[in-house]
């Protein structure tokens, strides 16, 4: 039996000895997942959540059963805790990013029980990832769920299920208390709720199965029954049948070559840090798959929530997960013992997820350490002979003990090559994957200027493109999905690393479209320019790019056809969907004006170049050629300037409008309009239709954006907003906040069943009202 213990904990952000006998009468009532202190969005001290806090939970056991064991399971807290039950000290436990099982059989009683957790959330240098500097911020709190499990004295403690494409099934299990008497284990295999096999051995040949893959993530369920004199212990476990292989020729899933394209993810959210329940975790996986069109995520730099991985299983998103740490290996045996335990626990906890295709057993970007990493690879292979190991490093030719050379390649600096030639990174031809790029090379905020935001997007395009040049590269995983809170010595001095292709609220920056435009699933088109001359130096229009997966784009200006454009295959010859460079805003308007067609084309070319790069961006020899044309047609500099203002510089002209029309197979599939003098209003978009609390509260994200009538975001809008709720919902985080670069999001949590309303008000724009049902 499983009893969730997430609602209604008493909480105080401190600890005193007398709490052991009675909890302070002045306290907060909180639900789990919980952060010990709500974070400001940015600008806080490293110490902000590093303190000891006290949590108390009362729970009922109607009748103690002597045949059973009573286990408290903590899915994750930061970082270490003393656990007391009914006044007895049960033990000291370290969790961090791992599940902790506390056997409280000897401490519980019939009736009311009192659980007290004294939680130390300091960055204890004796526990990984702590001890050195590190670029992330693990906030304190019991941030993953808690439950009581009541199980027969002999029960299934852990099961590792491998399903292969051929239908072969291999089981590795641990039975708790197996010496306490005789027991029997039986298995039932289900596919879509239909039983398809039952057996007792730890291996089986199922025959034809539907393999788990990216397009059809087929899941099977194994029901396990352990029968003993103490009763039946029954549990269900989802898994998939699939083969994964990294080779010198790339990555193969079920024998099919797949080019991996992905992003790293930190599980950090604004205000609540790590404390995000199931649907928030699931939403991140959905965003990666559907809004960023990637096929792999790296869970940097620690194992993620089981809800996140289960969602990856359900939707067909691959995951590379690793143990906690950042560049530092603690010198002490005790630190290294915890590291070893972390390797084992990661594999134990997340083994059955078919989405997980590799174990990251090396501390991210740490130096070589032969003994430690030889042990880790051997251990991982023993525990899981079917999955490869990786170990993320930034070092060339570092000691290669893993199955895949996983390398952070930061060679691209906005010019030159996007990636290193893998042959130059590691001397031998071994399976190879790029696990980070960009990130700190070019921090970018949604409200940075146009040039900056375009550059971020192009950097991602270039790495994606250049990596495809080398068939040896299994794939690339960019830094990073979302902006994240970090320690003071990293980030932009504000405790935020603005490295994401999404901001902290998971709102898209333009770089998000470098990924999304690679999909074939739906038409995508994002113009990487507001076409606002006044935003640029010299009031030029600047280079205009479009991220899109269409065959070609036609541009209309003020309703008049200008030209047709094709993807830029010259600079991005390996990408399926290169960005478009819109190099002509003049079209044939110029013909018949003064010049012959040929000379008009040259003048047009020069003017388009000037509009994109500025007058200094036109090479000198081209000026000479223009001079010769001036002589030929007997025109003066002023005449040329007249042409410039007529065709190019619309600065100050009233009411320009642009339509970018995208075609696939010669049919219009998507259109984006941009016009001056647009009308703006606030819009809200909810991540799901209703809140459905269960084992714990539920959360939805309500994206709030200032957009014009064409759906274009007002990127420089940082206006103040106020959120108020009525009914069964509450806002997680502050009720006063601002848009950040025209967008933000409000996290709304369930409180009570029934209807609720979120109202967002501001000055100058109409308020928003969002109705939310809690079911
Ligand atoms: C890497 C590191 C990441 C992050 C990134 C920023 O070196 O592994 O955690 O700090 O740099 O680009």
């Amino acid at each position: 039996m499983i009893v969730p213990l997430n609602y209604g904990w008493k909480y105080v952000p401190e600890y005193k000895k007398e709490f052991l006998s009675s909890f302070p009468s002045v306290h907060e009532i909180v639900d789990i997942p919980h952060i010990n202190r709500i974070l400001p969005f940015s600008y806080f001290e490293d110490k902000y959540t590093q303190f000891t806090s006290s949590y108390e939970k009362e729970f009922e056991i109607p009748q103690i059963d002597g045949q059973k064991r009573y286990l408290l399971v903590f899915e994750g807290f930061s970082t270490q805790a003393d656990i007391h039950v009914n006044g007895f000290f049960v033990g000291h436990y370290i969790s961090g990013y791992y599940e902790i099982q506390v056997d409280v059989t000897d401490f519980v009683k019939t009736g009311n029980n009192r659980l007290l957790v004294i939680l130390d959330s300091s960055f204890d240098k004796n526990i990984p990832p702590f001890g050195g500097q590190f670029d992330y911020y693990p906030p304190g709190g019991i941030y993953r769920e808690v439950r009581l499990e009541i199980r027969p004295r002999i029960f299934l403690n852990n099961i590792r299920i491998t399903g292969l494409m051929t239908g072969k099934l291999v089981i590795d299990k641990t039975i708790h208390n197996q010496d306490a008497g005789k027991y029997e284990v039986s298995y039932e295999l289900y596919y879509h709720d239909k039983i398809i096999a039952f057996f007792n051995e730890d291996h089986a040949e199922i025959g034809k199965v539907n393999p788990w893959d990216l397009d059809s993530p087929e899941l099977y369920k194994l029901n396990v029954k352990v029968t003993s004199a103490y009763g039946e212990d029954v549990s269900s476990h989802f898994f998939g049948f699939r083969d994964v292989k990294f080779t010198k020729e790339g990555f193969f899933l079920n024998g099919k070559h797949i080019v991996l394209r992905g992003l790293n993810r930190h599980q950090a959210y604004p205000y609540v840090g790590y404390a995000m329940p199931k649907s928030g975790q699931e939403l991140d996986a959905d965003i990666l798959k559907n809004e960023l069109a990637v096929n792999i995520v790296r869970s940097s730099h620690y194992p993620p929530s089981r809800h996140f991985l289960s969602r990856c299983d359900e939707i067909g998103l691959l995951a590379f997960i690793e143990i906690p740490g950042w560049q530092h290996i603690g010198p002490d045996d005790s630190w290294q013992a915890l590291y070893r335990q972390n390797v084992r626990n990661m594999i134990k906890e997340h083994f059955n997820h078919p989405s997980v295709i590799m174990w990251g057993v090396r501390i991210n970007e740490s130096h070589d350490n032969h003994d430690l990493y030889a042990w880790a690879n051997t251990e991982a292979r023993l525990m899981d002979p079917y999955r490869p190991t990786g170990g993320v490093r930034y070092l060339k030719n570092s000691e290669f003990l893993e199955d895949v050379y996983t390398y952070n390649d930061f060679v691209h600096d906005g010019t030159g090559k996007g990636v290193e030639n893998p042959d130059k990174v590691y001397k031998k031809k071994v399976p190879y994957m790029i696990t980070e790029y960009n990130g700190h090379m070019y921090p970018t905020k949604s409200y940075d200027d146009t040039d900056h935001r375009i550059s971020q997007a192009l950097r991602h395009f270039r790495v994606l493109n250049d990596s495809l040049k080398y068939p040896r590269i299994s794939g690339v995983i960019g830094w990073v999905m979302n902006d994240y809170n970090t320690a003071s010595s990293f980030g932009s001095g504000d405790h935020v690393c603005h490295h994401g292709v999404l901001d902290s609220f998971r709102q898209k920056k333009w770089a998000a479209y470098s990924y999304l435009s690679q999909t074939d699933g739906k038409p995508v088109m994002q113009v990487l320019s507001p076409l606002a001359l006044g935003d640029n130096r010299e009031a030029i229009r600047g280079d205009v790019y479009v991220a899109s997966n269409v065959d070609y784009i036609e541009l209309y200006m003020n309703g008049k056809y200008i030209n047709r454009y094709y993807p830029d295959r010259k600079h991005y010859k390996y990408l399926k969907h290169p960005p478009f460079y819109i190099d002509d805003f003049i079209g044939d308007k110029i013909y018949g004006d003064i010049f012959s067609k040929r000379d008009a084309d040259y003048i047009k070319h020069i003017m388009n170049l000037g509009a994109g790069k500025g007058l200094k961006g036109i090479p000198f020899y081209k000026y000479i050629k223009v001079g010769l044309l001036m002589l030929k047609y007997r025109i003066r500099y002023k005449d040329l300037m007249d042409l410039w203002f007529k065709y190019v510089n619309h600065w100050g002209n009233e009411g320009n409008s642009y339509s970018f029309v995208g075609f696939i197979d010669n049919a219009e599939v998507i259109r984006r309009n941009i016009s001056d003098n647009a009308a703006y209003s606030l819009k809200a978009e909810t991540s799901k239709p209703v809140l459905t609390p269960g084992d714990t509260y539920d959360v939805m994200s309500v994206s709030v954006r200032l957009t014009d009538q064409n759906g274009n975001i007002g990127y420089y809008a940082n206006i103040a907003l106020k959120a108020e709720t009525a009914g069964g919902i509450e806002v997680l985080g502050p009720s006063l906040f601002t848009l950040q670069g025209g967008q933000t999001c409000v996290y709304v949590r369930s409180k009570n069943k029934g209807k609720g309303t979120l109202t967002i008000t501001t000055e100058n724009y109409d308020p928003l009202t969002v109705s939310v049902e809690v079911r």
Side-chain angles (χ1 to χ4, degrees):
M1 188 163 82
I2 292 187
V3 187
L5 295 181
N6 298 310
Y7 292 109
W9 289 64
K10 293 179 187 161
Y11 173 73
V12 283
E14 58 172 341
Y15 167 67
K16 286 188 189 140
K17 210 161 170 237
E18 56 261 33
F19 297 175
L20 293 179
S21 45
S22 84
F23 207 75
S25 54
V26 181
H27 55 252
E28 239 185 286
I29 298 289
V30 303
D31 299 331
I32 309 294
H34 179 251
I35 184 169
N36 59 355
R37 186 179 182 192
I38 290 284
L39 283 171
F41 178 79
S42 52
Y43 296 105
F44 51 85
E45 285 175 84
D46 281 351
K47 289 254 163 255
Y48 205 80
T49 67
Q50 290 192 58
F51 52 85
T52 299
S53 48
S54 309
Y55 291 80
E56 187 191 76
K57 171 76 186 161
E58 288 180 41
F59 59 93
E60 279 285 311
I61 299 181
Q63 180 64 52
I64 290 286
D65 179 344
Q67 306 294 310
K68 300 276 191 287
R69 295 225 72 97
Y70 293 79
L71 310 161
L72 285 171
V73 180
F74 292 83
E75 291 188 29
F77 51 69
S78 279
T79 296
Q80 49 187 325
D82 280 350
I83 295 188
H84 303 255
V85 170
N86 295 328
F88 298 102
F89 173 63
V90 182
H92 181 80
Y93 296 83
I94 298 172
S95 163
Y97 300 90
Y98 292 92
E99 190 174 284
I100 296 299
Q101 200 187 65
V102 185
D103 191 333
V104 291
T105 313
D106 297 340
F107 305 96
V108 286
K109 56 182 172 51
T110 296
N112 190 49
N113 289 272
R114 176 178 182 244
L115 161 66
L116 184 68
V117 179
I118 312 299
L119 180 67
D120 173 0
S121 300
S122 61
F123 296 176
D124 182 338
K125 67 176 177 11
N126 299 308
I127 299 177
F130 309 118
Q133 294 294 321
F134 61 106
D135 174 20
Y136 51 105
Y137 187 82
I142 303 180
Y143 74 88
R144 290 181 187 157
E145 289 120 276
V146 183
R147 61 179 187 268
L148 172 69
E149 292 189 2
I150 306 171
R151 317 198 42 187
R153 281 188 172 251
I154 296 185
F155 65 89
L156 177 76
N157 204 12
N158 179 246
I159 184 158
R160 304 203 293 274
I161 310 164
T162 303
L164 300 180
M165 247 188 107
T166 52
K168 184 182 166 127
L169 192 67
V170 186
I171 295 168
D172 203 338
K173 62 177 189 311
T174 331
I175 302 289
H176 179 83
N177 215 3
Q178 54 182 347
D179 300 329
K182 281 220 300 235
Y183 66 90
E184 262 175 31
V185 182
S186 62
Y187 301 106
E188 286 175 352
L189 181 64
Y190 284 80
Y191 174 63
H192 289 190
D193 284 333
K194 227 181 100 201
I195 186 157
I196 56 166
F198 41 90
F199 45 92
N200 299 91
E201 291 80 36
D202 286 345
H203 51 87
E205 295 289 345
I206 306 303
K208 191 175 158 10
V209 288
N210 293 323
W212 182 93
D213 69 29
L214 300 184
D215 299 325
S216 52
E218 297 283 355
L219 292 175
Y220 287 73
K221 184 173 80 179
L222 191 70
N223 280 1
V224 187
K225 201 194 283 177
V226 183
T227 314
S228 70
Y230 303 105
E232 279 183 356
D233 175 58
V234 185
S235 55
S236 297
H237 311 267
F238 285 92
F239 73 102
F241 289 91
R242 53 113 186 87
D243 290 3
V244 294
K245 204 167 180 186
F246 282 88
T247 74
K248 288 177 251 176
E249 287 78 42
F251 172 73
F252 292 81
L253 179 64
N254 303 328
K256 197 177 134 212
H257 181 229
I258 290 180
V259 179
L260 299 172
R261 186 178 62 238
L263 288 160
N264 283 270
R265 169 191 182 244
H266 264 303
Q267 62 174 13
Y269 295 84
Y271 318 128
V272 296
Y274 288 173
M276 183 55 78
K278 183 167 181 260
S279 62
Q281 303 288 338
E282 293 176 337
L283 181 61
D284 267 7
D286 288 344
I287 290 172
L288 284 157
K289 173 102 181 172
N290 304 321
E291 295 300 311
L292 296 164
V294 299
N295 55 21
I296 186 165
V297 55
R298 172 171 168 233
S299 170
S300 50
H301 302 297
Y302 37 76
S305 141
R306 71 182 161 103
H307 300 303
F308 177 76
L309 287 177
S310 294
R311 189 64 181 162
C312 293
D313 296 343
E314 284 166 16
I315 61 178
L317 177 66
L318 305 169
F320 168 30
I321 73 175
E322 67 192 7
I323 36 88
W326 203 86
Q327 294 191 353
H328 165 82
I329 300 174
D332 299 338
D333 287 350
S334 59
W335 195 102
Q336 295 189 10
L338 286 172
Y339 156 81
R340 289 171 205 259
Q341 190 175 306
N342 286 347
V343 171
R344 282 197 211 99
N345 285 350
M346 167 178 72
I347 299 174
K348 257 170 72 179
E349 262 183 55
H350 299 295
F351 194 96
N352 297 331
H353 295 285
S355 54
V356 175
I357 56 163
M358 182 155 61
W359 302 119
V361 296
R362 192 178 165 119
I363 303 283
N364 171 63
E365 293 190 336
S366 54
H367 284 199
D368 290 345
N369 184 322
H370 179 81
D371 292 350
L372 206 58
Y373 293 144
W375 172 86
N377 280 283
T378 308
E379 183 69 9
R381 288 179 191 123
L382 273 176
M383 288 181 74
D384 187 355
Y386 297 95
R387 268 190 196 93
T389 58
V392 172
R393 79 260 346 261
Y394 61 75
L395 298 170
K396 291 184 176 172
N397 289 313
S398 80
E399 192 187 12
F400 180 53
L401 298 164
E402 295 80 15
D403 298 313
V404 186
Y405 200 92
T406 39
Y407 179 68
N408 289 350
D409 184 339
F410 288 107
V411 73
H412 186 57
D413 63 358
T415 58
K417 60 186 172 189
V419 299
E420 296 272 18
N421 178 344
D423 294 345
K424 303 264 159 59
V425 177
Y426 191 65
K427 51 191 181 260
K428 287 201 208 115
K429 288 209 182 337
V430 295
Y432 183 92
M433 179 161 76
I434 293 177
T435 37
E436 289 185 35
Y437 52 89
N438 288 344
H440 67 279
M441 299 299 289
Y442 206 69
T444 304
K445 304 166 199 80
S446 306
Y447 42 90
D448 274 330
D449 69 19
T450 302
D451 261 2
H452 197 105
R453 287 179 292 135
I454 297 175
S455 302
Q456 190 204 19
L458 293 182
R459 283 167 184 248
H460 282 272
F461 269 125
R462 284 192 210 107
V463 175
L464 289 175
N465 178 72
D466 289 8
S467 64
L468 296 169
K469 194 165 148 192
Y470 303 101
R472 263 192 71 200
I473 301 183
S474 295
V476 291
I477 307 183
W479 194 261
V480 56
M481 170 188 177
N482 51 287
D483 294 351
Y484 54 95
N485 283 136
T486 188
S488 57
S489 39
F490 297 90
S492 299
D494 56 352
H495 272 84
V496 179
C497 265
H498 300 268
H499 297 172
V501 302
L502 308 176
D503 69 13
S504 305
F505 297 100
R506 283 46 170 174
Q507 304 295 322
K508 290 190 186 78
K509 302 178 195 171
W510 281 345
Y513 293 95
S514 312
Y515 293 83
L516 181 56
S517 62
Q518 301 312 305
T519 182
D520 285 318
K522 57 180 176 189
V524 173
M525 189 194 277
Q526 176 66 38
V527 182
L528 306 182
S529 169
L531 290 165
L533 272 50
D535 189 36
N536 292 326
R537 69 204 148 84
E538 301 168 37
I540 57 168
R541 190 187 49 242
D543 285 327
V544 177
Y545 295 88
V546 179
S548 180
N549 55 2
V550 299
D551 297 340
Y552 59 84
I553 293 173
E554 290 185 350
L555 170 65
Y556 292 79
M557 222 176 129
N558 301 328
K560 200 171 169 304
Y561 173 79
I562 301 291
N563 212 335
R564 179 184 283 189
Y565 314 84
Y566 291 89
D568 178 5
R569 298 207 182 277
K570 187 168 153 221
H571 295 100
Y572 302 86
K573 63 175 175 218
Y574 304 101
L575 268 190
K576 175 134 193 232
H577 298 296
F580 291 69
Y581 179 51
I582 308 296
D583 57 357
D584 178 20
F585 278 77
I586 299 174
D588 60 8
K589 285 189 290 184
I590 197 169
Y591 299 140
D593 211 328
I594 307 174
F595 308 101
S596 70
K597 161 99 176 33
R598 193 158 147 240
D599 293 339
D601 276 339
Y602 194 75
I603 292 291
K604 181 163 94 168
H605 161 70
I606 295 296
M607 287 201 286
N608 276 319
L609 198 63
K613 314 252 177 245
L615 292 181
K616 290 205 181 105
I618 303 173
F620 185 64
Y621 74 92
K622 296 203 176 190
Y623 277 112
I624 295 183
K625 200 155 169 204
V626 172
L628 293 174
L629 287 175
M630 285 167 74
L631 285 175
K632 177 170 169 190
Y633 288 93
R634 293 169 189 277
I635 54 173
R636 289 164 306 158
Y637 180 70
K638 177 187 168 298
D639 301 320
L640 271 189
M641 286 317 287
D642 287 348
L643 289 178
W644 173 258
F645 283 107
K646 182 168 172 191
Y647 293 121
V648 179
N649 192 314
H650 306 287
W651 201 24
N653 287 9
E654 242 178 70
N656 285 310
S657 71
Y658 306 82
S659 291
F660 295 79
V661 188
F663 291 82
I664 294 180
D665 293 335
N666 293 320
E668 175 181 337
V669 290
I670 190 165
R671 177 183 282 256
R672 292 277 174 256
N673 297 320
I674 298 180
S675 48
D676 297 348
N677 206 6
Y680 282 88
S681 58
L682 282 180
K683 310 249 166 33
E685 194 187 336
T686 52
S687 59
K688 53 194 239 152
V690 281
L691 286 172
T692 49
D695 292 351
T696 185
Y697 62 95
D698 193 15
V699 169
M700 66 167 64
S701 107
V702 182
S703 299
V704 180
R705 304 188 181 103
L706 188 76
T707 54
D708 68 11
Q709 71 275 29
N710 299 313
N712 299 313
I713 294 170
Y715 283 108
Y716 302 135
N718 297 330
I719 57 178
L721 302 167
K722 182 174 179 190
E724 281 162 300
T725 55
I729 57 170
E730 231 174 43
V731 165
L732 287 181
S735 53
L736 286 179
F737 53 99
T738 66
L739 289 182
Q740 301 197 14
Q743 33 186 357
T744 188
C745 109
V746 178
Y747 293 105
V748 173
R749 63 153 283 179
S750 60
K751 259 322 221 196
N752 309 305
K753 301 226 162 158
K755 298 225 180 295
T757 318
L758 167 72
T759 312
I760 296 172
T761 47
T762 180
E763 284 184 9
N764 303 321
Y765 300 99
D766 288 343
L768 288 175
T769 308
V770 182
S771 304
V772 178
E773 199 191 325
V774 185
R775 220 181 265 159

